[in-house]
Amino acid sequence: MVLRNFKQLLNRIEKQNSQRIAVAMAQDADILQALDAAHSAGLADAVLVGSKPKIEKIAQTNSIPLERYEIVHSESEEESVARAVELVRSGEAQVLMKGLCSTAKFLKGILNKEHGLRASSLLSHLAVFESPNYHKLLFMSDAAMNIAPDLNEKIAITQNALNALHALHYKKPKVAMISAVEKVNPQAMPSTADAALIAKMAERGQIKNALIDGPLALDNALSARANEIKGLKSVVGGSADLCVVPNIETGNVFYKLLTILGNALVAGVILGASVPVVLTSRADSDNSKFLSIATALAISGQE
Ligand code: COD
């Protein structure tokens, strides 16, 4: 079943058991507000890793109760990430969340060969948007982790996202392999060739339970009218559930345009780790951070 909005996603998880989230660098007002909302909704409690004085000050300024949380004091970003990851590895928390630290440092902590949380060959980021201008939730990968994925990495990114969509009960998600045009032009625009190959793999059943088309420009992916005008027949048909973008720059601009100029609500998670991982941009709102927690829980399906 296709999810129209985040409300439907939240309905899915309202009966799940509450999870404990380990937050790396929790000294952030939006993070604490988001955790408060998750706690009030019965979804999760948390262990806050980071500067204890800063966490306490922020909580006091914003009237956020802290009694319900354990605080693990830690000074540096690296140490906070390592301690939060360790809390998850030891089973004291079931979800990991990025707080006020750099994405690269957070991801390096997850990827650490000895002490990290790798569970599959490639980890990737998945963003989810509820836009006032689109008729259902729109998923997009990868805006935050894989910088310049090659063909094999794009296949893995697509498969990770499909696994997440299947976990959310989508039977055959419509996937658009995004480029700038819909014509395959291997020499001038190699991303068009990668897109076409992945679409062909899906057509031949090498990637299962998905309708994949590409290359598609974004208007072909999202607008039936654009397809009509261009005379393009596509299984995605201007109604993509998932856009797979060719590189991190495209993904990052996609994400920020939708949130800053498009008034979209957004959630962000990392896929392929041994536990659900919540990863938002530091400037995202408290609601976005709450929705990201909800999305991570829904995908991990702790029903
Ligand atoms: N999945 C699984 N393993 C990976 C991945 C991945 N996505 N990326 C790297 N690895 C493995 C490599 O195979 C290698 O074994 C080890 O990790 C180190 O690989 P490096 O040297 O390429 O990786 P790092 O540690 O230098 O960097 C990995 C990052 C994920 C930190 C890096 O790719 C990165 O900085 N990504 C962008 C993060 C970012 O700035 N986002 C900003 C937008 S919000």
Side-chain angles (χ1 to χ4, degrees):
M1 188 198 108
V2 166
L3 293 166
R4 305 265 157 228
N5 47 44
F6 279 115
K7 191 165 180 294
Q8 290 186 341
L9 183 140
L10 284 163
N11 287 343
R12 286 268 176 87
I13 54 172
E14 63 187 2
K15 294 202 176 78
Q16 282 186 13
N17 292 334
S18 175
Q19 304 287 302
R20 173 163 276 208
I21 308 174
V23 187
M25 296 287 282
Q27 54 265 42
D28 172 80
D30 289 330
I31 292 270
L32 296 182
Q33 305 275 21
L35 292 171
D36 203 45
H39 186 272
S40 302
L43 296 177
D45 72 358
V47 187
L48 309 177
V49 185
S51 162
K52 193 164 187 242
K54 284 187 188 157
I55 292 170
E56 285 172 346
K57 186 151 185 260
I58 292 167
Q60 196 183 23
T61 311
N62 294 280
S63 308
I64 302 167
L66 277 186
E67 309 79 61
R68 58 177 75 120
Y69 303 123
E70 184 187 337
I71 302 180
V72 176
H73 178 73
S74 161
E75 292 290 347
S76 74
E77 281 186 51
E78 284 86 351
E79 190 195 339
S80 294
V81 173
R83 304 225 25 202
V85 168
E86 180 47 35
L87 284 163
V88 171
R89 282 174 62 97
S90 66
E92 287 170 71
Q94 297 81 40
V95 178
L96 180 70
M97 181 169 185
K98 176 176 104 78
L100 202 64
C101 56
S102 90
T103 300
K105 280 186 184 145
F106 181 75
L107 293 175
K108 278 171 192 271
I110 299 176
L111 288 174
N112 185 293
K113 283 212 167 86
E114 273 174 73
H115 307 290
L117 298 171
R118 291 180 196 222
S120 64
S121 62
L122 187 108
L123 279 68
S124 53
H125 182 262
L126 180 69
V128 193
F129 304 95
E130 180 184 323
S131 161
N133 304 310
Y134 201 52
H135 53 288
K136 56 185 172 180
L137 288 185
L138 177 62
F139 295 75
M140 186 268 291
S141 190
D142 179 332
M145 185 159 193
N146 293 283
I147 296 173
D150 63 17
L151 176 60
N152 282 321
E153 288 165 341
K154 285 178 189 171
I155 295 167
I157 287 170
T158 306
Q159 191 59 61
N160 276 355
L162 285 173
N163 293 345
L165 280 156
H166 294 150
L168 291 172
H169 311 315
Y170 284 67
K171 287 207 162 62
K172 277 198 171 222
K174 292 183 178 175
V175 183
M177 303 304 302
I178 298 296
S179 188
V181 289
E182 60 278 10
K183 294 211 165 50
V184 182
N185 185 349
Q187 195 179 4
M189 223 184 280
S191 68
T192 59
D194 287 354
L197 272 162
I198 293 174
K200 194 72 189 173
M201 287 173 75
E203 203 185 301
R204 291 272 154 90
Q206 287 173 266
I207 299 173
K208 296 192 190 329
N209 299 321
L211 295 171
I212 306 186
D213 198 10
L216 290 177
L218 196 62
D219 55 350
N220 300 127
L222 304 182
S223 157
R225 185 173 168 272
N227 285 345
E228 250 176 65
I229 292 169
K230 290 187 183 175
L232 186 80
K233 287 203 168 58
S234 165
V235 284
V236 172
S239 186
D241 296 300
L242 166 68
C243 291
V244 178
V245 295
N247 54 37
I248 199 170
E249 291 92 336
T250 312
N252 208 269
V253 172
F254 186 126
Y255 185 110
K256 282 167 188 165
L257 269 176
L258 267 180
T259 50
I260 296 171
L261 297 184
N263 287 326
L265 298 173
V266 65
V269 296
I270 293 291
L271 306 172
S274 55
V275 295
V277 177
V278 182
L279 189 145
T280 52
S281 195
R282 274 171 281 186
D284 285 339
S285 67
D286 57 337
N287 189 37
S288 159
K289 285 165 182 160
F290 168 70
L291 293 174
S292 302
I293 293 171
T295 302
L297 295 175
I299 290 172
S300 70
Q302 324 272 346
E303 285 169 55

Short mmCIF file of all heavy atoms in Angstrom, two decimals, residues 39-72:
data_model
loop_
_atom_site.label_atom_id
_atom_site.label_comp_id
_atom_site.label_asym_id
_atom_site.label_seq_id
_atom_site.Cartn_x
_atom_site.Cartn_y
_atom_site.Cartn_z
N HIS A 39 8.79 10.49 22.67
CA HIS A 39 8.44 9.92 23.98
C HIS A 39 6.95 10.08 24.25
O HIS A 39 6.27 9.12 24.65
CB HIS A 39 9.27 10.59 25.08
CG HIS A 39 9.06 9.94 26.41
ND1 HIS A 39 8.05 10.32 27.26
CD2 HIS A 39 9.69 8.91 27.01
CE1 HIS A 39 8.08 9.57 28.34
NE2 HIS A 39 9.08 8.70 28.21
N SER A 40 6.43 11.27 23.98
CA SER A 40 4.99 11.51 24.22
C SER A 40 4.13 10.60 23.36
O SER A 40 3.04 10.20 23.76
CB SER A 40 4.62 12.96 23.89
OG SER A 40 5.39 13.82 24.66
N ALA A 41 4.62 10.29 22.15
CA ALA A 41 3.85 9.40 21.25
C ALA A 41 4.04 7.93 21.63
O ALA A 41 3.49 7.05 20.97
CB ALA A 41 4.29 9.63 19.81
N GLY A 42 4.84 7.66 22.66
CA GLY A 42 5.07 6.28 23.11
C GLY A 42 5.97 5.50 22.18
O GLY A 42 6.02 4.27 22.22
N LEU A 43 6.73 6.22 21.33
CA LEU A 43 7.56 5.52 20.35
C LEU A 43 8.94 5.17 20.88
O LEU A 43 9.51 4.15 20.52
CB LEU A 43 7.74 6.38 19.09
CG LEU A 43 6.49 6.71 18.30
CD1 LEU A 43 6.83 7.64 17.14
CD2 LEU A 43 5.86 5.43 17.76
N ALA A 44 9.51 6.07 21.70
CA ALA A 44 10.92 5.86 22.08
C ALA A 44 11.30 6.67 23.29
O ALA A 44 10.71 7.71 23.58
CB ALA A 44 11.81 6.27 20.89
N ASP A 45 12.32 6.17 24.02
CA ASP A 45 13.04 7.03 24.96
C ASP A 45 14.49 7.07 24.48
O ASP A 45 14.79 6.59 23.39
CB ASP A 45 12.86 6.57 26.41
CG ASP A 45 13.61 5.29 26.71
OD1 ASP A 45 14.24 4.73 25.79
OD2 ASP A 45 13.57 4.85 27.86
N ALA A 46 15.38 7.69 25.27
CA ALA A 46 16.71 7.92 24.70
C ALA A 46 17.82 7.92 25.73
O ALA A 46 17.58 8.17 26.92
CB ALA A 46 16.70 9.26 23.97
N VAL A 47 19.03 7.63 25.26
CA VAL A 47 20.24 7.90 26.02
C VAL A 47 20.92 9.05 25.29
O VAL A 47 21.17 8.97 24.08
CB VAL A 47 21.22 6.70 26.00
CG1 VAL A 47 22.39 6.96 26.95
CG2 VAL A 47 20.52 5.41 26.36
N LEU A 48 21.18 10.13 26.02
CA LEU A 48 21.75 11.33 25.39
C LEU A 48 23.26 11.33 25.59
O LEU A 48 23.73 11.41 26.73
CB LEU A 48 21.15 12.59 26.01
CG LEU A 48 19.62 12.63 26.07
CD1 LEU A 48 19.15 13.90 26.77
CD2 LEU A 48 19.03 12.54 24.66
N VAL A 49 24.01 11.23 24.51
CA VAL A 49 25.47 11.26 24.60
C VAL A 49 25.92 12.63 24.12
O VAL A 49 25.50 13.08 23.05
CB VAL A 49 26.11 10.16 23.73
CG1 VAL A 49 27.62 10.15 23.95
CG2 VAL A 49 25.51 8.79 24.04
N GLY A 50 26.77 13.30 24.92
CA GLY A 50 27.25 14.62 24.52
C GLY A 50 27.63 15.44 25.74
O GLY A 50 27.79 14.89 26.84
N SER A 51 27.76 16.74 25.56
CA SER A 51 28.15 17.62 26.66
C SER A 51 26.98 17.78 27.64
O SER A 51 25.96 18.38 27.30
CB SER A 51 28.56 18.98 26.10
OG SER A 51 28.52 19.92 27.14
N LYS A 52 27.17 17.23 28.85
CA LYS A 52 26.08 17.24 29.84
C LYS A 52 25.64 18.68 30.18
O LYS A 52 24.44 18.98 30.15
CB LYS A 52 26.52 16.48 31.09
CG LYS A 52 25.39 16.17 32.02
CD LYS A 52 25.78 15.09 33.03
CE LYS A 52 24.56 14.68 33.82
NZ LYS A 52 24.64 14.92 35.24
N PRO A 53 26.61 19.59 30.46
CA PRO A 53 26.17 20.96 30.79
C PRO A 53 25.37 21.60 29.66
O PRO A 53 24.36 22.26 29.89
CB PRO A 53 27.48 21.72 31.02
CG PRO A 53 28.55 20.70 31.18
CD PRO A 53 28.07 19.42 30.57
N LYS A 54 25.81 21.37 28.42
CA LYS A 54 25.09 21.98 27.29
C LYS A 54 23.69 21.36 27.14
O LYS A 54 22.71 22.07 26.90
CB LYS A 54 25.88 21.79 25.99
CG LYS A 54 27.07 22.72 25.89
CD LYS A 54 27.73 22.63 24.52
CE LYS A 54 29.02 23.42 24.51
NZ LYS A 54 29.97 22.99 23.48
N ILE A 55 23.61 20.05 27.28
CA ILE A 55 22.30 19.38 27.17
C ILE A 55 21.35 19.94 28.23
O ILE A 55 20.20 20.29 27.95
CB ILE A 55 22.46 17.84 27.31
CG1 ILE A 55 23.22 17.26 26.11
CG2 ILE A 55 21.10 17.16 27.46
CD1 ILE A 55 23.64 15.81 26.25
N GLU A 56 21.86 20.09 29.46
CA GLU A 56 21.01 20.56 30.57
C GLU A 56 20.56 22.00 30.33
O GLU A 56 19.40 22.35 30.56
CB GLU A 56 21.76 20.43 31.89
CG GLU A 56 21.81 18.96 32.32
CD GLU A 56 22.69 18.68 33.53
OE1 GLU A 56 23.50 19.56 33.92
OE2 GLU A 56 22.59 17.58 34.06
N LYS A 57 21.49 22.82 29.84
CA LYS A 57 21.15 24.23 29.60
C LYS A 57 20.07 24.34 28.51
O LYS A 57 19.09 25.08 28.66
CB LYS A 57 22.42 24.98 29.18
CG LYS A 57 22.23 26.45 29.04
CD LYS A 57 23.53 27.22 29.32
CE LYS A 57 23.25 28.72 29.28
NZ LYS A 57 23.62 29.34 28.06
N ILE A 58 20.26 23.60 27.43
CA ILE A 58 19.30 23.66 26.31
C ILE A 58 17.92 23.17 26.78
O ILE A 58 16.89 23.75 26.46
CB ILE A 58 19.80 22.83 25.11
CG1 ILE A 58 21.02 23.49 24.49
CG2 ILE A 58 18.72 22.66 24.06
CD1 ILE A 58 21.79 22.62 23.51
N ALA A 59 17.95 22.10 27.57
CA ALA A 59 16.68 21.54 28.07
C ALA A 59 15.96 22.56 28.95
O ALA A 59 14.74 22.77 28.82
CB ALA A 59 16.94 20.25 28.83
N GLN A 60 16.74 23.23 29.80
CA GLN A 60 16.15 24.22 30.71
C GLN A 60 15.58 25.40 29.92
O GLN A 60 14.43 25.80 30.12
CB GLN A 60 17.22 24.72 31.68
CG GLN A 60 16.64 25.44 32.87
CD GLN A 60 17.74 25.96 33.77
OE1 GLN A 60 18.88 26.17 33.34
NE2 GLN A 60 17.42 26.16 35.02
N THR A 61 16.35 25.92 28.98
CA THR A 61 15.90 27.06 28.16
C THR A 61 14.60 26.73 27.42
O THR A 61 13.75 27.58 27.23
CB THR A 61 16.99 27.43 27.12
OG1 THR A 61 18.22 27.54 27.80
CG2 THR A 61 16.68 28.73 26.40
N ASN A 62 14.48 25.48 26.98
CA ASN A 62 13.32 25.11 26.16
C ASN A 62 12.25 24.34 26.94
O ASN A 62 11.32 23.79 26.34
CB ASN A 62 13.79 24.27 24.96
CG ASN A 62 14.65 25.07 24.01
OD1 ASN A 62 14.15 25.83 23.20
ND2 ASN A 62 15.97 24.95 24.14
N SER A 63 12.42 24.32 28.28
CA SER A 63 11.45 23.63 29.16
C SER A 63 11.20 22.20 28.73
O SER A 63 10.05 21.74 28.61
CB SER A 63 10.11 24.39 29.20
OG SER A 63 10.32 25.71 29.50
N ILE A 64 12.28 21.49 28.45
CA ILE A 64 12.14 20.07 28.07
C ILE A 64 12.55 19.22 29.26
O ILE A 64 13.68 19.35 29.75
CB ILE A 64 13.03 19.73 26.85
CG1 ILE A 64 12.66 20.63 25.66
CG2 ILE A 64 12.92 18.26 26.47
CD1 ILE A 64 13.68 20.60 24.54
N PRO A 65 11.68 18.34 29.76
CA PRO A 65 12.06 17.51 30.90
C PRO A 65 13.16 16.52 30.53
O PRO A 65 13.11 15.90 29.47
CB PRO A 65 10.75 16.77 31.24
CG PRO A 65 9.88 16.89 30.05
CD PRO A 65 10.32 18.08 29.26
N LEU A 66 14.16 16.41 31.42
CA LEU A 66 15.29 15.51 31.14
C LEU A 66 15.28 14.27 32.02
O LEU A 66 16.06 13.34 31.79
CB LEU A 66 16.62 16.24 31.37
CG LEU A 66 17.18 17.14 30.27
CD1 LEU A 66 18.56 17.63 30.67
CD2 LEU A 66 17.26 16.40 28.94
N GLU A 67 14.41 14.27 33.06
CA GLU A 67 14.47 13.18 34.06
C GLU A 67 14.38 11.81 33.42
O GLU A 67 14.95 10.83 33.91
CB GLU A 67 13.34 13.28 35.10
CG GLU A 67 13.17 14.61 35.77
CD GLU A 67 12.43 15.60 34.88
OE1 GLU A 67 11.28 15.35 34.52
OE2 GLU A 67 13.07 16.62 34.56
N ARG A 68 13.65 11.71 32.35
CA ARG A 68 13.41 10.39 31.76
C ARG A 68 14.61 9.86 30.98
O ARG A 68 14.60 8.72 30.55
CB ARG A 68 12.19 10.45 30.85
CG ARG A 68 12.31 11.48 29.73
CD ARG A 68 11.11 11.43 28.82
NE ARG A 68 9.95 12.01 29.41
CZ ARG A 68 9.29 13.05 28.90
NH1 ARG A 68 9.69 13.61 27.78
NH2 ARG A 68 8.22 13.51 29.49
N TYR A 69 15.62 10.71 30.77
CA TYR A 69 16.75 10.29 29.95
C TYR A 69 18.00 10.01 30.76
O TYR A 69 18.29 10.70 31.74
CB TYR A 69 17.11 11.37 28.92
CG TYR A 69 15.97 11.76 28.02
CD1 TYR A 69 15.55 13.09 27.95
CD2 TYR A 69 15.32 10.82 27.25
CE1 TYR A 69 14.50 13.45 27.11
CE2 TYR A 69 14.27 11.18 26.41
CZ TYR A 69 13.87 12.50 26.36
OH TYR A 69 12.84 12.85 25.54
N GLU A 70 18.75 9.02 30.29
CA GLU A 70 20.11 8.84 30.81
C GLU A 70 21.02 9.77 30.00
O GLU A 70 20.84 9.90 28.78
CB GLU A 70 20.51 7.38 30.58
CG GLU A 70 21.85 7.02 31.17
CD GLU A 70 22.27 5.61 30.75
OE1 GLU A 70 21.38 4.78 30.40
OE2 GLU A 70 23.47 5.36 30.74
N ILE A 71 21.97 10.44 30.69
CA ILE A 71 22.91 11.28 29.95
C ILE A 71 24.31 10.69 30.11
O ILE A 71 24.75 10.41 31.23
CB ILE A 71 22.91 12.74 30.46
CG1 ILE A 71 21.50 13.33 30.35
CG2 ILE A 71 23.92 13.59 29.67
CD1 ILE A 71 21.37 14.76 30.84
N VAL A 72 25.00 10.50 29.00
CA VAL A 72 26.38 10.01 29.04
C VAL A 72 27.27 11.17 28.60
O VAL A 72 27.20 11.60 27.43
CB VAL A 72 26.56 8.79 28.09
CG1 VAL A 72 28.03 8.36 28.05
CG2 VAL A 72 25.66 7.64 28.50
#
